[in-house]
mmCIF file with all atom_site columns, all heavy atoms in Angstrom:
data_model
loop_
_atom_site.group_PDB
_atom_site.id
_atom_site.type_symbol
_atom_site.label_atom_id
_atom_site.label_alt_id
_atom_site.label_comp_id
_atom_site.label_asym_id
_atom_site.label_entity_id
_atom_site.label_seq_id
_atom_site.pdbx_PDB_ins_code
_atom_site.Cartn_x
_atom_site.Cartn_y
_atom_site.Cartn_z
_atom_site.occupancy
_atom_site.B_iso_or_equiv
_atom_site.pdbx_formal_charge
_atom_site.auth_seq_id
_atom_site.auth_comp_id
_atom_site.auth_asym_id
_atom_site.auth_atom_id
_atom_site.pdbx_PDB_model_num
ATOM 1  N N   . GLU M 1 29  ? -5.393  1.595  1.824  1.00 85.00 ? 29  GLU M N   1
ATOM 2  C CA  . GLU M 1 29  ? -6.139  2.811  2.136  1.00 85.00 ? 29  GLU M CA  1
ATOM 3  C C   . GLU M 1 29  ? -5.480  4.002  1.436  1.00 85.00 ? 29  GLU M C   1
ATOM 4  O O   . GLU M 1 29  ? -4.261  4.086  1.363  1.00 85.00 ? 29  GLU M O   1
ATOM 5  C CB  . GLU M 1 29  ? -6.144  3.069  3.651  1.00 85.00 ? 29  GLU M CB  1
ATOM 6  C CG  . GLU M 1 29  ? -6.790  1.957  4.463  1.00 85.00 ? 29  GLU M CG  1
ATOM 7  C CD  . GLU M 1 29  ? -8.277  1.787  4.168  1.00 85.00 ? 29  GLU M CD  1
ATOM 8  O OE1 . GLU M 1 29  ? -8.874  2.686  3.548  1.00 85.00 ? 29  GLU M OE1 1
ATOM 9  O OE2 . GLU M 1 29  ? -8.833  0.735  4.557  1.00 85.00 ? 29  GLU M OE2 1
ATOM 10 N N   . GLU M 1 73  ? 5.350   4.784  5.045  1.00 93.00 ? 73  GLU M N   1
ATOM 11 C CA  . GLU M 1 73  ? 5.139   5.958  5.888  1.00 93.00 ? 73  GLU M CA  1
ATOM 12 C C   . GLU M 1 73  ? 3.805   5.830  6.610  1.00 93.00 ? 73  GLU M C   1
ATOM 13 O O   . GLU M 1 73  ? 3.486   6.626  7.495  1.00 93.00 ? 73  GLU M O   1
ATOM 14 C CB  . GLU M 1 73  ? 5.216   7.227  5.029  1.00 93.00 ? 73  GLU M CB  1
ATOM 15 C CG  . GLU M 1 73  ? 5.558   8.461  5.827  1.00 93.00 ? 73  GLU M CG  1
ATOM 16 C CD  . GLU M 1 73  ? 6.117   9.581  4.962  1.00 93.00 ? 73  GLU M CD  1
ATOM 17 O OE1 . GLU M 1 73  ? 7.100   9.342  4.250  1.00 93.00 ? 73  GLU M OE1 1
ATOM 18 O OE2 . GLU M 1 73  ? 5.558   10.680 5.004  1.00 93.00 ? 73  GLU M OE2 1
ATOM 19 N N   . ARG M 1 94  ? 16.428  3.324  9.988  1.00 91.00 ? 94  ARG M N   1
ATOM 20 C CA  . ARG M 1 94  ? 16.699  4.582  9.295  1.00 91.00 ? 94  ARG M CA  1
ATOM 21 C C   . ARG M 1 94  ? 15.452  5.178  8.634  1.00 91.00 ? 94  ARG M C   1
ATOM 22 O O   . ARG M 1 94  ? 15.143  6.346  8.812  1.00 91.00 ? 94  ARG M O   1
ATOM 23 C CB  . ARG M 1 94  ? 17.780  4.391  8.221  1.00 91.00 ? 94  ARG M CB  1
ATOM 24 C CG  . ARG M 1 94  ? 18.085  5.672  7.440  1.00 91.00 ? 94  ARG M CG  1
ATOM 25 C CD  . ARG M 1 94  ? 18.950  5.412  6.227  1.00 91.00 ? 94  ARG M CD  1
ATOM 26 N NE  . ARG M 1 94  ? 18.294  4.598  5.224  1.00 91.00 ? 94  ARG M NE  1
ATOM 27 C CZ  . ARG M 1 94  ? 17.514  5.078  4.252  1.00 91.00 ? 94  ARG M CZ  1
ATOM 28 N NH1 . ARG M 1 94  ? 17.308  6.362  4.147  1.00 91.00 ? 94  ARG M NH1 1
ATOM 29 N NH2 . ARG M 1 94  ? 16.943  4.264  3.387  1.00 91.00 ? 94  ARG M NH2 1
ATOM 30 N N   . ASN M 1 102 ? 10.305  13.732 8.565  1.00 95.00 ? 102 ASN M N   1
ATOM 31 C CA  . ASN M 1 102 ? 9.734   14.244 7.314  1.00 95.00 ? 102 ASN M CA  1
ATOM 32 C C   . ASN M 1 102 ? 8.285   14.688 7.497  1.00 95.00 ? 102 ASN M C   1
ATOM 33 O O   . ASN M 1 102 ? 7.789   15.530 6.768  1.00 95.00 ? 102 ASN M O   1
ATOM 34 C CB  . ASN M 1 102 ? 9.802   13.172 6.219  1.00 95.00 ? 102 ASN M CB  1
ATOM 35 C CG  . ASN M 1 102 ? 11.178  13.090 5.586  1.00 95.00 ? 102 ASN M CG  1
ATOM 36 O OD1 . ASN M 1 102 ? 12.028  13.941 5.805  1.00 95.00 ? 102 ASN M OD1 1
ATOM 37 N ND2 . ASN M 1 102 ? 11.400  12.061 4.798  1.00 95.00 ? 102 ASN M ND2 1
ATOM 38 N N   . ASP M 1 171 ? 10.538  22.593 -0.504 1.00 83.00 ? 171 ASP M N   1
ATOM 39 C CA  . ASP M 1 171 ? 9.939   23.522 -1.447 1.00 83.00 ? 171 ASP M CA  1
ATOM 40 C C   . ASP M 1 171 ? 10.478  24.933 -1.227 1.00 83.00 ? 171 ASP M C   1
ATOM 41 O O   . ASP M 1 171 ? 10.641  25.705 -2.164 1.00 83.00 ? 171 ASP M O   1
ATOM 42 C CB  . ASP M 1 171 ? 8.417   23.485 -1.295 1.00 83.00 ? 171 ASP M CB  1
ATOM 43 C CG  . ASP M 1 171 ? 7.749   23.732 -2.635 1.00 83.00 ? 171 ASP M CG  1
ATOM 44 O OD1 . ASP M 1 171 ? 8.382   23.414 -3.663 1.00 83.00 ? 171 ASP M OD1 1
ATOM 45 O OD2 . ASP M 1 171 ? 6.627   24.239 -2.650 1.00 83.00 ? 171 ASP M OD2 1
ATOM 46 N N   . LYS K 2 49  ? 0.738   21.358 -6.090 1.00 93.00 ? 49  LYS K N   1
ATOM 47 C CA  . LYS K 2 49  ? 2.066   21.149 -6.689 1.00 93.00 ? 49  LYS K CA  1
ATOM 48 C C   . LYS K 2 49  ? 2.092   19.865 -7.504 1.00 93.00 ? 49  LYS K C   1
ATOM 49 O O   . LYS K 2 49  ? 3.033   19.067 -7.393 1.00 93.00 ? 49  LYS K O   1
ATOM 50 C CB  . LYS K 2 49  ? 3.123   21.051 -5.585 1.00 93.00 ? 49  LYS K CB  1
ATOM 51 C CG  . LYS K 2 49  ? 3.252   22.258 -4.683 1.00 93.00 ? 49  LYS K CG  1
ATOM 52 C CD  . LYS K 2 49  ? 4.358   22.011 -3.669 1.00 93.00 ? 49  LYS K CD  1
ATOM 53 C CE  . LYS K 2 49  ? 4.274   22.949 -2.477 1.00 93.00 ? 49  LYS K CE  1
ATOM 54 N NZ  . LYS K 2 49  ? 4.424   24.344 -2.802 1.00 93.00 ? 49  LYS K NZ  1
ATOM 55 N N   . LYS K 2 72  ? -10.450 -0.920 -3.525 1.00 93.00 ? 72  LYS K N   1
ATOM 56 C CA  . LYS K 2 72  ? -9.416  -0.037 -2.989 1.00 93.00 ? 72  LYS K CA  1
ATOM 57 C C   . LYS K 2 72  ? -8.122  -0.172 -3.780 1.00 93.00 ? 72  LYS K C   1
ATOM 58 O O   . LYS K 2 72  ? -7.465  0.826  -4.098 1.00 93.00 ? 72  LYS K O   1
ATOM 59 C CB  . LYS K 2 72  ? -9.165  -0.352 -1.523 1.00 93.00 ? 72  LYS K CB  1
ATOM 60 C CG  . LYS K 2 72  ? -10.232 0.225  -0.625 1.00 93.00 ? 72  LYS K CG  1
ATOM 61 C CD  . LYS K 2 72  ? -9.945  -0.049 0.821  1.00 93.00 ? 72  LYS K CD  1
ATOM 62 C CE  . LYS K 2 72  ? -11.015 0.586  1.689  1.00 93.00 ? 72  LYS K CE  1
ATOM 63 N NZ  . LYS K 2 72  ? -10.967 0.106  3.061  1.00 93.00 ? 72  LYS K NZ  1
ATOM 64 N N   . THR K 2 139 ? 6.988   7.951  1.966  1.00 92.00 ? 139 THR K N   1
ATOM 65 C CA  . THR K 2 139 ? 6.194   8.664  0.970  1.00 92.00 ? 139 THR K CA  1
ATOM 66 C C   . THR K 2 139 ? 6.574   10.138 0.856  1.00 92.00 ? 139 THR K C   1
ATOM 67 O O   . THR K 2 139 ? 6.573   10.698 -0.239 1.00 92.00 ? 139 THR K O   1
ATOM 68 C CB  . THR K 2 139 ? 4.697   8.493  1.299  1.00 92.00 ? 139 THR K CB  1
ATOM 69 O OG1 . THR K 2 139 ? 4.396   7.106  1.128  1.00 92.00 ? 139 THR K OG1 1
ATOM 70 C CG2 . THR K 2 139 ? 3.817   9.295  0.370  1.00 92.00 ? 139 THR K CG2 1
ATOM 71 N N   . THR K 2 140 ? 6.925   10.779 1.975  1.00 94.00 ? 140 THR K N   1
ATOM 72 C CA  . THR K 2 140 ? 7.292   12.201 1.915  1.00 94.00 ? 140 THR K CA  1
ATOM 73 C C   . THR K 2 140 ? 8.582   12.401 1.130  1.00 94.00 ? 140 THR K C   1
ATOM 74 O O   . THR K 2 140 ? 8.680   13.303 0.292  1.00 94.00 ? 140 THR K O   1
ATOM 75 C CB  . THR K 2 140 ? 7.421   12.788 3.338  1.00 94.00 ? 140 THR K CB  1
ATOM 76 O OG1 . THR K 2 140 ? 6.173   12.602 3.997  1.00 94.00 ? 140 THR K OG1 1
ATOM 77 C CG2 . THR K 2 140 ? 7.752   14.263 3.304  1.00 94.00 ? 140 THR K CG2 1
#
Side-chain angles (χ1 to χ4, degrees):
Chain M
E29 299 296 346
E73 203 159 305
R94 179 191 65 87
N102 280 349
D171 213 27
Chain K
K49 300 181 198 298
K72 282 182 178 167
T139 294
T140 302

